[in-house]
Amino acid sequence: MSSGGAEDDIPQGERKTVTDFCYLLDKSKQLFNGLRDLPQYGQKQWQSYFGRTFDVYTKLWKFQQQHRQVLDNRYGLKRWQIGEIASKIGQLYYHYYLRTSETSYLNEAFSFYSAIRQRSYYSQVSKEDRPELVVKKLRYYARFIVVCLLLNKMDVVKDLVKELSDEIEDYTHRFNTEDQVEWNLVLQEVAAFIEADPVMVLNDDNTIVITSNRLAEAGAPLLEQGMIVGQLTLADALIIGNCNNQVKFSELTVDMFRMLQALEREPMNLASQMNKPGMQESADKPARRENPHKYLLYKPTFSQLYTFLAASFKELPANSVLLIYLSATGVFPTGRSDSEGPYDFGGVLTNSNRDIINGDAIHKRNQTHKEMHCLHPGDLYPFTRKPLFIIVDSSNSVAYKNFTNLFGQPLVCLLSPTTYPKALQDQSQRGSLFTLFLNNPLMAFLFVSGLSSMRRGLWEKCQEYLRKINRDIAQLLTHSRSIDQAFLQFFGDEFLRLLLTRFVFCSATMRMHKIFRQETRNYPETYPQLPRDETVENPHLQKHILELASILDVRNVFFENTIDDY
């Protein structure tokens, strides 16, 4: 308590106000610190604890607003302390988003982080000779940047990066600290992350297109009359990233970031209130399907990955799908055994504490000693007891062609090309082209066509034409006479429907692209196999792709006569 007067001179009501504030502050810190001990997997153990934590922070926030004058005079409340409370609330909303995948909580986190900046809560920190306070401010900036990246607020991100850079420079100039290199690395990582996405400049006003790749209303092709599809719903997704040298920020690689957004709806604009999450639903609000729940796993060990898989599998509701997305370096076997099984084709490396051999993939010298953290197709067999949708983006994705559906449940694997043309390999650090197609197919098409600027009207025309292509791909898949029924059983879910149609568009585009045909002849594949003549090599679809290329004046990049012996 500050020395605003002798303690005996403080009126009893004001003393109680300070005491109550200190109690709430201590309780909030205790509960917040306890969040670290909650299991990261499982859906039910953590909700009541989060609820109690939000309750205390709600009371604390309102209390400091109602009693600001007394707290200023008798407690010596500083603006950075208010900022710290607001920052913790922003963190709570962000972590609630991570736990629930409900994008509206990102907006809530943004509201509190933005208020800290607008009201300059941390502005006086630099005047105090306490490096730990400056670090709180730097961490706030880093967290704010992550939230803005997830909300595609790129203009705000660039302003924040500039401010963070200035703050780090001032921090390292004033204090001789050991974490200077770490904070400079944070700056480098976020700068590289921003640069990773292909950029499209609109010539009309020289603006850069900022696209949101979340599922908007009517974003997926609508199911039309006559389309017979299953009623499965995507409920859970594991997004796993371990690509060598790929750009990352805050344990989120570019590929993970893109897939994360492909599995979310556009955020709802909730009015920012300090209500406990989950209590903001009203009876008159229209029903709205939730986002699938996601686990984001950056370089998980095999045991960590299996723990999360088991938790997801255990809690998967009836008639629901588990999605596994693997963006990871390939692990290749050195030889072939007499009887090839699900552990003889290699797999993907989810974690490694040693240097990558040959930069691109792990080649084991001793076939009897397999890589511990390699996820083989056989490792996923136990989880095929329920509907499973797998996406593998790796230099050894083809290992998952050797899958076996042992339990008769719906099972589909979408597999990336294992190599890319030389001209595109230099871009691998900026994320995989395959995942870019699944996240933003128009931007991927423009990228392989060598385009980085166009008129606004042309951009909008291409978007509309791509929607038409997606609708026609949906018809091709559902009207196919020889397609495996697993594809159709997943087709009733909006997210999976969008991924499947984007996959077909990606595969068809690569098969028609001259640089792919001339250099690699290496295309995306599936398990079970799609009927090529009815889908990825369908003449009707090929005509659409050529028409899109004509609209963009890049038809020369693609083969006209596309019927070929692949």
Side-chain angles (χ1 to χ4, degrees):
M1 194 177 295
S2 69
S3 57
E7 191 168 329
D8 291 342
D9 295 337
I10 301 176
Q12 186 174 352
E14 293 185 4
R15 187 183 296 124
K16 184 178 186 305
T17 296
V18 172
T19 302
D20 290 349
F21 176 76
C22 290
Y23 170 79
L24 286 172
L25 191 62
D26 289 343
K27 187 67 175 176
S28 67
K29 288 178 180 178
Q30 178 187 346
L31 287 168
F32 191 90
N33 292 336
L35 293 173
R36 300 190 191 100
D37 300 326
L38 293 178
Q40 291 178 297
Y41 50 85
Q43 291 282 341
K44 295 169 185 173
Q45 304 96 317
W46 55 269
Q47 282 183 314
S48 61
Y49 192 95
F50 255 88
R52 292 201 306 274
T53 308
F54 265 104
D55 280 340
V56 170
Y57 271 97
T58 300
K59 293 173 184 174
L60 179 63
W61 185 251
K62 291 179 178 177
F63 194 90
Q64 64 84 22
Q65 287 178 320
Q66 293 165 355
H67 304 282
R68 180 73 56 81
Q69 188 173 354
V70 173
L71 293 172
D72 285 348
N73 295 334
R74 302 301 187 185
Y75 178 81
L77 184 66
K78 293 181 170 58
R79 289 188 66 75
W80 66 261
Q81 291 174 299
I82 303 171
E84 188 175 12
I85 296 170
S87 182
K88 289 277 179 39
I89 294 170
Q91 282 177 258
L92 280 174
Y93 274 118
Y94 173 67
H95 283 287
Y96 205 81
Y97 154 73
L98 290 179
R99 295 272 184 174
T100 63
S101 299
E102 177 47 67
T103 42
S104 60
Y105 295 120
L106 277 176
N107 280 334
E108 298 299 301
F110 176 83
S111 295
F112 275 90
Y113 285 150
S114 187
I116 293 170
R117 183 167 173 245
Q118 290 169 359
R119 298 172 190 175
S120 304
Y121 281 138
Y122 282 123
S123 62
Q124 302 301 312
V125 161
S126 58
K127 294 182 180 179
E128 302 200 26
D129 193 28
R130 296 172 59 186
E132 71 275 11
L133 291 185
V134 182
V135 169
K136 286 181 186 289
K137 185 176 184 179
L138 299 181
R139 287 175 176 165
Y140 149 73
Y141 268 107
R143 294 180 182 117
F144 195 6
I145 287 169
V146 171
V147 169
C148 290
L149 283 171
L150 289 167
L151 289 171
N152 295 303
K153 296 181 182 290
M154 300 309 295
D155 291 342
V156 182
V157 168
K158 289 174 182 176
D159 290 342
L160 292 174
V161 170
K162 175 66 170 64
E163 292 173 23
L164 176 59
S165 177
D166 292 342
E167 294 289 345
I168 291 173
E169 186 176 347
D170 179 67
Y171 170 62
T172 55
H173 179 72
R174 290 176 57 211
F175 304 103
N176 185 19
T177 62
E178 296 179 356
D179 57 354
Q180 177 178 346
V181 174
E182 294 175 22
W183 280 111
N184 285 327
L185 182 61
V186 169
L187 270 182
Q188 293 169 20
E189 283 188 349
V190 69
F193 205 91
I194 294 169
E195 290 294 320
D197 263 341
V199 169
M200 181 54 55
V201 178
L202 299 180
N203 294 332
D204 310 57
D205 47 12
N206 208 33
T207 58
I208 294 176
V209 173
I210 304 297
T211 58
S212 175
N213 302 307
R214 291 185 170 91
L215 183 63
E217 293 301 321
L222 295 175
L223 292 175
E224 298 177 9
Q225 193 170 5
M227 289 185 177
I228 302 173
V229 299
Q231 301 300 311
L232 295 172
T233 299
L234 178 60
D236 245 32
L238 272 74
I239 298 177
I240 299 148
N242 181 33
C243 274
N244 183 36
N245 293 329
Q246 189 173 105
V247 169
K248 75 167 188 70
F249 183 59
S250 186
E251 298 204 333
L252 200 63
T253 67
V254 173
D255 280 353
M256 292 173 69
F257 177 75
R258 288 173 178 164
M259 186 51 58
L260 167 77
Q261 299 213 333
L263 297 177
E264 290 182 346
R265 302 176 192 279
E266 280 295 338
M268 291 175 63
N269 285 317
L270 298 178
S272 188
Q273 307 170 33
M274 270 306 294
N275 287 337
K276 185 166 60 178
M279 303 300 289
Q280 295 174 345
E281 307 296 326
S282 62
D284 57 348
K285 194 167 84 174
R288 185 171 176 275
R289 265 199 45 200
E290 296 178 350
N291 290 323
H293 172 257
K294 297 178 293 297
Y295 291 117
L296 306 176
L297 303 178
Y298 175 64
K299 295 191 174 183
T301 63
F302 178 78
S303 58
Q304 287 171 333
L305 177 53
Y306 234 58
T307 300
F308 280 86
L309 264 172
S312 251
F313 181 85
K314 177 185 176 183
E315 296 185 352
L316 198 69
N319 299 317
S320 295
V321 181
L322 171 61
L323 182 147
I324 302 172
Y325 169 79
L326 294 161
S327 166
T329 301
V331 181
F332 296 96
T334 55
R336 289 282 185 252
S337 59
D338 293 337
S339 57
E340 292 180 339
Y343 288 88
D344 296 319
F345 296 94
V348 301
L349 188 70
T350 62
N351 181 284
S352 178
N353 294 322
R354 56 192 177 78
D355 292 334
I356 301 294
I357 300 172
N358 294 336
D360 208 22
I362 300 296
H363 297 264
K364 293 305 295 179
R365 294 186 181 89
N366 185 353
Q367 182 64 14
T368 61
H369 178 69
K370 285 183 165 59
E371 174 62 49
M372 177 180 176
H373 299 301
C374 172
L375 190 73
H376 297 266
D379 294 323
L380 298 180
Y381 279 11
F383 304 102
T384 61
R385 289 173 168 85
K386 294 181 180 180
L388 190 62
F389 194 98
I390 303 170
I391 302 172
V392 186
D393 194 338
S394 173
S395 52
N396 192 27
S397 59
V398 291
Y400 288 77
K401 281 173 59 179
N402 303 287
F403 231 95
T404 304
N405 191 342
L406 299 176
F407 298 98
Q409 291 291 321
L411 170 66
V412 162
C413 301
L414 305 183
L415 311 174
S416 72
T418 54
T419 59
Y420 291 95
K422 290 179 181 178
L424 300 176
Q425 286 175 353
D426 293 340
Q427 304 295 322
S428 60
Q429 288 188 353
R430 296 186 169 198
S432 163
L433 179 61
F434 177 69
T435 294
L436 182 61
F437 263 102
L438 298 182
N439 166 260
N440 190 337
L442 178 55
M443 197 66 87
F445 189 88
L446 298 171
F447 176 73
V448 297
S449 301
L451 294 174
S452 59
S453 64
M454 64 173 62
R455 291 177 288 104
R456 183 179 296 276
L458 188 58
W459 168 262
E460 292 167 354
K461 183 177 181 181
C462 289
Q463 285 184 309
E464 182 56 40
Y465 196 77
L466 188 59
R467 281 191 282 271
K468 172 180 170 55
I469 293 176
N470 268 342
R471 289 193 296 270
D472 285 0
I473 291 174
Q475 287 189 338
L476 289 177
L477 290 170
T478 56
H479 293 170
S480 168
R481 296 181 178 179
S482 54
I483 194 170
D484 191 285
Q485 288 301 301
F487 291 98
L488 301 184
Q489 286 174 289
F490 289 127
F491 215 68
D493 180 88
E494 289 177 278
F495 293 103
L496 300 180
R497 183 159 72 249
L498 199 58
L499 289 171
L500 285 167
T501 55
R502 287 174 175 177
F503 173 87
V504 171
F505 175 72
C506 169
S507 188
T509 298
M510 290 182 180
R511 288 168 183 273
M512 295 175 65
H513 200 287
K514 288 181 179 178
I515 193 172
F516 280 89
R517 289 268 293 281
Q518 290 168 344
E519 286 193 34
T520 66
R521 287 180 174 259
N522 198 317
Y523 311 115
E525 299 192 53
T526 63
Y527 172 86
Q529 282 192 344
L530 280 170
R532 290 193 320 204
D533 57 335
E534 293 181 303
T535 58
V536 295
E537 293 176 18
N538 180 276
H540 184 63
L541 175 56
Q542 292 173 338
K543 183 180 176 182
H544 276 331
I545 290 173
L546 287 175
E547 179 58 29
L548 180 60
S550 294
I551 292 171
L552 292 163
D553 197 23
V554 291
R555 192 158 176 151
N556 61 307
V557 175
F558 297 90
F559 280 109
E560 298 280 341
N561 182 14
T562 54
I563 306 301
D564 194 4
D565 179 16
Y566 290 97

